Amino acid sequence: MLDAIGVDSLEALFEDVPRGLRLGRPLDVPPAASELEVMRELGAMAARNAHAESHAWFLGAGTYAHFVPSAIDALAGRAEFYTSYTPYQPEISQGTLQTIFEWQTMVCALTGLEVANASMYDGASATAEAALMAMRVTKRSKIVVAGLHPHYRDVLRTYLDGPGGTIEHASYGADGRTRDLAGHVDGDTACVVLQSPAFLGPIEDVRAAAEAARAQGALLVVSISEALSLGVLRAPGELGADVVCGEAQSFGIPMGFGGPHLGFLAAREKHLRQLPGRLCGETVDANGKRGFVLTLSTREQHIRRERATSNICTNQGLMLLRATIFLALLGREGLAALARQNLAKAAYLRERIARTPGLALPFAAPVFHELVVTLAPGDSAERALARALDDGIVGGLDLAPYAPELGPALLVCATELATRESIDRLVAALGRGAS
Amino acid sequence: MSDPNERTNQLPGAAGIAAVGNAATHVAFEEPLLFERSRPGRVGWSLPALDVPAVDPAFHLGGEAVRETCDGLPELSEVDVVRHFTRISTWNYSVDHGLYPLGSCTMKYNPKLNEAAARLPGFALSHPLQPAALAQGVLQLLFELERQLAEISGMDAVTLQPAAGSQGELAGVMMIRAYHESRGDKRMKVLVPDSAHGTNPASAAMNGYEVVSVPSGADGVLHPEAVAAAMSPEVACLMLTNPSTLGLFETHVAEIAKIVHAGGGLVYGDGANLNALLGVARPGDFGIDVMHFNLHKTFSTPHGGGGPGAGPVGVKGMLEPFLPAPLVRRRSTPDGDAYFLDDERPLSIGRLHGNLGNVGMLVRAFAYIRSLGPDGLRRCAELAVLNANYVLARLRDVYHVPYDRRVMHECVLSDAKLAPHHVSTMDVAKRLIDYGYHPPTIYFPLIVAGALMIEPTESESLEGLDQFVAAMRAIVREAAEDPALVRGAPHTTRLSRLDETRAARKPVLRWTPGRDT
Amino acid sequence: MAEYDIPNDRRYSHEDEWATFENDQITVGVTDFAQKQLGDVVFVELPAVGTAVEKGEPFGVIESVKAVSDLYAPVSGQVVEVNADLADHPELVNEDCYGDGWMLTIAVEDGSDYEAMLDAAAYRRHVDDRK
C-alpha cells in the first residue's frame, strides 16, 4: 500500500503535521483490554448502581420505569437499523425513512396537531426549541412558563440566552395547578409553556391556558415529560395548543441513567417552515412507486447555515424506532389500557397515603401517575427514603432542592410496574416516620 | 419477477467485480405502512390484570380532559409488527453490510462489545436522579471518560452533557460568549472558514453572532494572512476544523491560533475529524481552546439511522468555569473514592440536556477506549490516514483531484473529468449503490464543485479498499461508454431516484386515511 | 451562444433579478440564470403588500430543494402587489421566470433606480463572468 501511495513509511503520511505539534508519547489512558476484561470491569461498575430490576421503583420526575416489550430489543438490535446512517440516500434507507413517517403520523395522532418532526434530543431541548420557534413566529421574546420540570426550565434558560428571550414563572395554587396564568400573559409574550401533567403531578387546564395565550396573540406550547399520559388525556391540540412537545422515553426506551431519550415536537401546519429538526415526507420514485425522503432540508443547518431554524444535526433515530415499535405493539387500545393502569396504581397509592397517619397529600388536583406526599413532622425526606431503601425500594424524589416551600416532601411515581404489595410496603416505610 | 440473486450476477457493468454489500441483493418485499396493515381487534401487547381497583378516567379527571381510545394508532399483532419491521429493515444499508466511505462521518465498525456493555442493567435501567450513593458505578465511568477524552484531546476539562456534536458546538460557542461577557468584552463576530460544516455558522448565529467567512488558500488550507485580515477586536472566536473538511491538516494552525489569541479571541475546534489525529497530535497542543467530540464518529458508537450520538466538549482552563452544570466530581473518603454531582457552578452556561447526556453512548465510547488502549487509538489514526491516501493514489488518474497532495483520513475528488459525458457527482453516487456501497459524502465541502469526499476509516481491509476502487474505476469507464446507465442509476434497488422536489413542494408528512398512494 | 435567456425588454441587477418599469411601478422577478442555478424552486417567501423595501436590502427568500437564497430589492419603494400564485405553484419561477413567475410590484418615486440597473448586454457579461 505504501508503494501505491509512493512513500516508504507510515510516518511519512503524517508529514503535514508539524513536528513541534506532535504528541511524541503514548496517550496516558489505560492499556488495551480484551473483551473479557472489559466486560468484567464494566460489569463491576454496573453492579454498583441500583436499578429498576434490583429495587421496586417509585422515582419518576421526567424519567420513567416502564415495561419494555421484548420485541423491541429484538427488532432494534437488527444491524440494518442500528448500524445504518442518516437516511440521506433514500434508495438504501427506506427502512429508516418509513419508520420516521410512521412515527410522525402517530405523534400527530397523539398530540392532535398536523405536523411532527423526526424527533429532538430529549424533552428538555424539544421544549426549548419550541419556545425559540414561538419567538420566531410571533417576533416576541417573553416566555411564560408553568408547571415545568426544573431541568427543562434550566435548559430553556440556556437556549434563550443567545436570542435574548426572558422567562416569567406562573406559580401553582392551593390545588397544585397553575394559578392566574392569564395575569402573566401580555403583548410581549411569545408563548406560554405549560407542562401537563405538571412536574409536581397535577393535570393542568390546557383549554384555559390556550384561551389566555390566544387573548394576547401568544402561542400555547404544551410540554409533556410523560408521553404515556397521552394514552388517557385528551390531545392538547384539540384543546387549543399550537405546539406540543416533550419526552417519549416511556415508549419502550430504557431509563439509561438519563439518556439517550427521545424528544418529540408537533405543531400546526401553518408553522411548518419554522419547525426545527429533520422531517420525512412521502413522494414517488422515477417509476411512480411510493417512497419516503428527508424533506424541507432548507430549514436545516447544512443548507441554511447561519439562517437555519436550529443547528440541530442528528435526531434520536434508533430511539424513534423503539418508540414506533412500542406504539405499534400497543396500538389504539393498548396504549389506553396501559395509561389507565398507571392511573389506577397512582390512585391506589394516593388512597393508601391518605389513610396513613403522618403522611399528607398537599394537592387536591387530579394527577396521572405522580404525586407529592408530605412527611410527618420531624421526619425528613432523606430518612424516609433510607427506610424505603432498607425494604428494597427506591421511594421517590426528595423535593427539597426543587420545592423547599413544601417542607419535607417526596415526588412519588407509580407505574404499571408497581404492585399492590410494593405500594403497601412503600407507604408503610414512609409512614414509619410518624412518632 | 426475476430472482434477485441472479439479477446481481448479471449486474450491468459489474462483470468480474463482486458486489460487496447487500444494497444490491436485499430482499425486495413490498411492505405497507403500519396503518395500512392495521386490522380492528388485533393486539400486540399483554398486561397483567390490575391488582388495585380500576379507576374511571372521566370521573377521576373530568370528561373533557379524557381521551377514550388512541385513534390514529394502528391495531396489530406482535407477528404483524415483527414482520413489518424485519421486512423494512432489509431495505436499509448499514455498516454491518459494508463500506460507507462518507467523508467527515467516520463510519467505522461498531463493536458489539459496546452494545453488551450498554445493556448491563446497572447502566440501562438506572435513573439519572437516583441518589449518588446508589450510582457510584456510572458516576465513576463518566468521571474516567472525561479524563480520557481530556487526555486524548489535550484539554483541561470535559463535559459529557451535550447530546450530539451540534449541541456540543452550541455549548462551546456559548462558553466563548460567556467568557468574553465575564471580561466585559463586547465581541459580535465569529470567523468561519468557507470550507466549514453548516453547523458552525448555525451555532454562531444561535448565539447572536455575525458570521464572517474566511477564504481558504488555493492550497486548500487557511493562511495566517487571511485570518489576520479578518481578525479584529470584534471577533469572539475562529471556528476551525482540523484536519479540514478537505482532509488536509491545517499546517498553519499554530500561527493562526496565535493571531486570534493576540487579538483577544479564542479558537473553537470542530472535532469531527479527530480520527486522523488520535495519538498523533492533540488539538489542545496546537492552539484550540474549546472543541467538541463526535462519539458516533471517532469513538465507534453506532449511528442508529440518524442518532443518538453524543457530543462531549473539552475546554482549556480559562473556560472551565463556564462548563454546563452539573459536573461529575470525585473526592477521597476513608472508604475510598466517592463520586458526586456538583451543581455549585455560578458561572456555568447552564444545562443543555435534561439529564447528564446520552449516557448509553458514553458507556459505549468508554468500552471502546478501554478495548483499544493507547496503541490501538494511535493505530486508528495511522490506518485511517493510510487507507485514505491509498484510495486517493488508486483513483487520482481517473478522477479530478482538486487538491492533489498528501491527505489525512479523507480525500476529495470531483466530477470535473466526467463533465464531457454529462455524468455528475450525483450520478456516480447513485451508480455506486448498484455496486453495493453507500455513496461518499457529495457536494460538500461547498468550495469544491461536485465534491466527492471519501473517508474509508481504519475498519476497511485492503481487499475491501481494492474492491471499492474497482467499482469507482468501473463507473468512470461506464461514464464514457454508456453514460445513460450511470445517469439512470441505481438500477438494482427497490426504488430509484425519489422525487425530492415533489416532497418539498407538496409536503406530505403523515399518513391520513383515504389518501390514494 | 445564449445558454441563458436574457430578454432585451427589461433591466437586471447583480443579484440576478430582472425588472420592468411602467406607470411609476417596477415589477421584479429572478432571471433564467438564477432559476437554473437554484434548480427546482419549492418555496418563495415574499413581503406583505404595503411593506417598504430598500434598494440592495433583502425582501424575501427563495428556496429550492438544495439551496436557499435571499431576494434583494433592486429599487427602493413600497410593495403594491405580490404574485399570490407562487404560494401554490413555486414551479412557475422555473417554468416562466420572466412572465407568470414574476414576484412583486413596487411603487417608486421615479425611474432613477431603474435606469441605474444593468441592461441586457451588461447583465450577459455579468453572467459570463461567473460561468
mmCIF file of all heavy atoms in Angstrom, chain B residues 32-48:
data_model
loop_
_atom_site.group_PDB
_atom_site.id
_atom_site.type_symbol
_atom_site.label_atom_id
_atom_site.label_comp_id
_atom_site.label_asym_id
_atom_site.label_seq_id
_atom_site.Cartn_x
_atom_site.Cartn_y
_atom_site.Cartn_z
ATOM 1 N N PRO B 32 -46.441 -2.373 3.335
ATOM 2 C CA PRO B 32 -47.185 -1.127 3.521
ATOM 3 C C PRO B 32 -46.853 -0.470 4.858
ATOM 4 O O PRO B 32 -46.048 -0.959 5.631
ATOM 5 C CB PRO B 32 -48.644 -1.613 3.499
ATOM 6 C CG PRO B 32 -48.589 -3.024 3.955
ATOM 7 C CD PRO B 32 -47.265 -3.566 3.513
ATOM 8 N N LEU B 33 -47.541 0.641 5.110
ATOM 9 C CA LEU B 33 -47.387 1.337 6.381
ATOM 10 C C LEU B 33 -48.136 0.565 7.475
ATOM 11 O O LEU B 33 -49.065 -0.197 7.188
ATOM 12 C CB LEU B 33 -47.966 2.748 6.270
ATOM 13 C CG LEU B 33 -47.214 3.691 5.341
ATOM 14 C CD1 LEU B 33 -48.073 4.907 5.009
ATOM 15 C CD2 LEU B 33 -45.908 4.127 5.969
ATOM 16 N N LEU B 34 -47.749 0.810 8.708
ATOM 17 C CA LEU B 34 -48.418 0.180 9.853
ATOM 18 C C LEU B 34 -49.932 0.380 9.780
ATOM 19 O O LEU B 34 -50.706 -0.522 10.097
ATOM 20 C CB LEU B 34 -47.907 0.799 11.161
ATOM 21 C CG LEU B 34 -46.461 0.517 11.548
ATOM 22 C CD1 LEU B 34 -46.057 1.430 12.693
ATOM 23 C CD2 LEU B 34 -46.266 -0.948 11.921
ATOM 24 N N PHE B 35 -50.354 1.587 9.384
ATOM 25 C CA PHE B 35 -51.774 1.947 9.399
ATOM 26 C C PHE B 35 -52.526 1.202 8.305
ATOM 27 O O PHE B 35 -53.734 0.971 8.414
ATOM 28 C CB PHE B 35 -51.926 3.462 9.246
ATOM 29 C CG PHE B 35 -50.852 4.199 9.993
ATOM 30 C CD1 PHE B 35 -49.750 4.715 9.314
ATOM 31 C CD2 PHE B 35 -50.892 4.298 11.371
ATOM 32 C CE1 PHE B 35 -48.722 5.346 10.009
ATOM 33 C CE2 PHE B 35 -49.862 4.928 12.064
ATOM 34 C CZ PHE B 35 -48.785 5.441 11.378
ATOM 35 N N GLU B 36 -51.793 0.831 7.240
ATOM 36 C CA GLU B 36 -52.420 0.095 6.149
ATOM 37 C C GLU B 36 -52.530 -1.387 6.492
ATOM 38 O O GLU B 36 -53.311 -2.126 5.904
ATOM 39 C CB GLU B 36 -51.614 0.304 4.864
ATOM 40 C CG GLU B 36 -51.700 1.755 4.378
ATOM 41 C CD GLU B 36 -50.618 2.126 3.380
ATOM 42 O OE1 GLU B 36 -49.529 1.501 3.372
ATOM 43 O OE2 GLU B 36 -50.857 3.064 2.591
ATOM 44 N N ARG B 37 -51.722 -1.841 7.433
ATOM 45 C CA ARG B 37 -51.760 -3.232 7.883
ATOM 46 C C ARG B 37 -52.771 -3.446 9.013
ATOM 47 O O ARG B 37 -53.108 -4.571 9.350
ATOM 48 C CB ARG B 37 -50.402 -3.622 8.463
ATOM 49 C CG ARG B 37 -49.367 -4.043 7.492
ATOM 50 C CD ARG B 37 -48.137 -4.450 8.281
ATOM 51 N NE ARG B 37 -47.425 -5.502 7.608
ATOM 52 C CZ ARG B 37 -47.713 -6.791 7.718
ATOM 53 N NH1 ARG B 37 -48.692 -7.215 8.492
ATOM 54 N NH2 ARG B 37 -47.012 -7.690 7.046
ATOM 55 N N SER B 38 -53.165 -2.342 9.608
ATOM 56 C CA SER B 38 -53.965 -2.405 10.830
ATOM 57 C C SER B 38 -55.286 -3.132 10.587
ATOM 58 O O SER B 38 -55.915 -2.951 9.542
ATOM 59 C CB SER B 38 -54.235 -0.963 11.288
ATOM 60 O OG SER B 38 -55.061 -0.931 12.404
ATOM 61 N N ARG B 39 -55.700 -3.968 11.551
ATOM 62 C CA ARG B 39 -56.992 -4.638 11.468
ATOM 63 C C ARG B 39 -57.658 -4.529 12.824
ATOM 64 O O ARG B 39 -57.036 -4.805 13.842
ATOM 65 C CB ARG B 39 -56.814 -6.127 11.130
ATOM 66 C CG ARG B 39 -56.215 -6.414 9.762
ATOM 67 C CD ARG B 39 -57.176 -6.066 8.630
ATOM 68 N NE ARG B 39 -56.604 -6.356 7.322
ATOM 69 C CZ ARG B 39 -55.830 -5.529 6.624
ATOM 70 N NH1 ARG B 39 -55.499 -4.349 7.123
ATOM 71 N NH2 ARG B 39 -55.367 -5.887 5.445
ATOM 72 N N PRO B 40 -58.948 -4.150 12.860
ATOM 73 C CA PRO B 40 -59.607 -3.926 14.154
ATOM 74 C C PRO B 40 -59.515 -5.158 15.041
ATOM 75 O O PRO B 40 -59.731 -6.290 14.590
ATOM 76 C CB PRO B 40 -61.067 -3.651 13.772
ATOM 77 C CG PRO B 40 -61.023 -3.226 12.346
ATOM 78 C CD PRO B 40 -59.849 -3.931 11.721
ATOM 79 N N GLY B 41 -59.212 -4.920 16.304
ATOM 80 C CA GLY B 41 -59.215 -6.001 17.274
ATOM 81 C C GLY B 41 -57.885 -6.678 17.476
ATOM 82 O O GLY B 41 -57.702 -7.446 18.422
ATOM 83 N N ARG B 42 -56.890 -6.429 16.592
ATOM 84 C CA ARG B 42 -55.585 -7.087 16.780
ATOM 85 C C ARG B 42 -54.839 -6.426 17.916
ATOM 86 O O ARG B 42 -54.889 -5.213 18.077
ATOM 87 C CB ARG B 42 -54.742 -7.000 15.513
ATOM 88 C CG ARG B 42 -55.330 -7.821 14.422
ATOM 89 C CD ARG B 42 -54.289 -8.472 13.547
ATOM 90 N NE ARG B 42 -54.968 -9.184 12.483
ATOM 91 C CZ ARG B 42 -54.524 -9.291 11.252
ATOM 92 N NH1 ARG B 42 -53.368 -8.734 10.904
ATOM 93 N NH2 ARG B 42 -55.215 -9.959 10.359
ATOM 94 N N VAL B 43 -54.139 -7.222 18.707
ATOM 95 C CA VAL B 43 -53.334 -6.679 19.806
ATOM 96 C C VAL B 43 -51.942 -7.280 19.802
ATOM 97 O O VAL B 43 -51.759 -8.454 19.507
ATOM 98 C CB VAL B 43 -53.989 -6.919 21.188
ATOM 99 C CG1 VAL B 43 -55.288 -6.173 21.317
ATOM 100 C CG2 VAL B 43 -54.174 -8.391 21.445
ATOM 101 N N GLY B 44 -50.963 -6.481 20.170
ATOM 102 C CA GLY B 44 -49.575 -6.942 20.226
ATOM 103 C C GLY B 44 -48.991 -6.754 21.601
ATOM 104 O O GLY B 44 -47.783 -6.653 21.755
ATOM 105 N N TRP B 45 -49.861 -6.696 22.608
ATOM 106 C CA TRP B 45 -49.370 -6.399 23.944
ATOM 107 C C TRP B 45 -50.064 -7.302 24.946
ATOM 108 O O TRP B 45 -51.137 -7.831 24.681
ATOM 109 C CB TRP B 45 -49.679 -4.950 24.309
ATOM 110 C CG TRP B 45 -51.101 -4.560 24.085
ATOM 111 C CD1 TRP B 45 -51.660 -4.156 22.913
ATOM 112 C CD2 TRP B 45 -52.177 -4.597 25.021
ATOM 113 N NE1 TRP B 45 -52.999 -3.920 23.061
ATOM 114 C CE2 TRP B 45 -53.345 -4.172 24.344
ATOM 115 C CE3 TRP B 45 -52.269 -4.928 26.377
ATOM 116 C CZ2 TRP B 45 -54.590 -4.070 24.979
ATOM 117 C CZ3 TRP B 45 -53.503 -4.825 27.021
ATOM 118 C CH2 TRP B 45 -54.657 -4.403 26.319
ATOM 119 N N SER B 46 -49.438 -7.435 26.111
ATOM 120 C CA SER B 46 -50.126 -8.114 27.206
ATOM 121 C C SER B 46 -49.780 -7.379 28.491
ATOM 122 O O SER B 46 -48.649 -6.942 28.682
ATOM 123 C CB SER B 46 -49.676 -9.573 27.297
ATOM 124 O OG SER B 46 -48.330 -9.665 27.725
ATOM 125 N N LEU B 47 -50.752 -7.211 29.323
ATOM 126 C CA LEU B 47 -50.549 -6.560 30.623
ATOM 127 C C LEU B 47 -51.137 -7.465 31.687
ATOM 128 O O LEU B 47 -52.156 -8.118 31.443
ATOM 129 C CB LEU B 47 -51.305 -5.233 30.682
ATOM 130 C CG LEU B 47 -50.668 -4.005 30.039
ATOM 131 C CD1 LEU B 47 -51.639 -2.838 30.089
ATOM 132 C CD2 LEU B 47 -49.366 -3.647 30.718
ATOM 133 N N PRO B 48 -50.536 -7.493 32.875
ATOM 134 C CA PRO B 48 -51.164 -8.278 33.939
ATOM 135 C C PRO B 48 -52.505 -7.645 34.313
ATOM 136 O O PRO B 48 -52.724 -6.456 34.062
ATOM 137 C CB PRO B 48 -50.170 -8.176 35.099
ATOM 138 C CG PRO B 48 -49.268 -7.041 34.781
ATOM 139 C CD PRO B 48 -49.322 -6.796 33.308
#
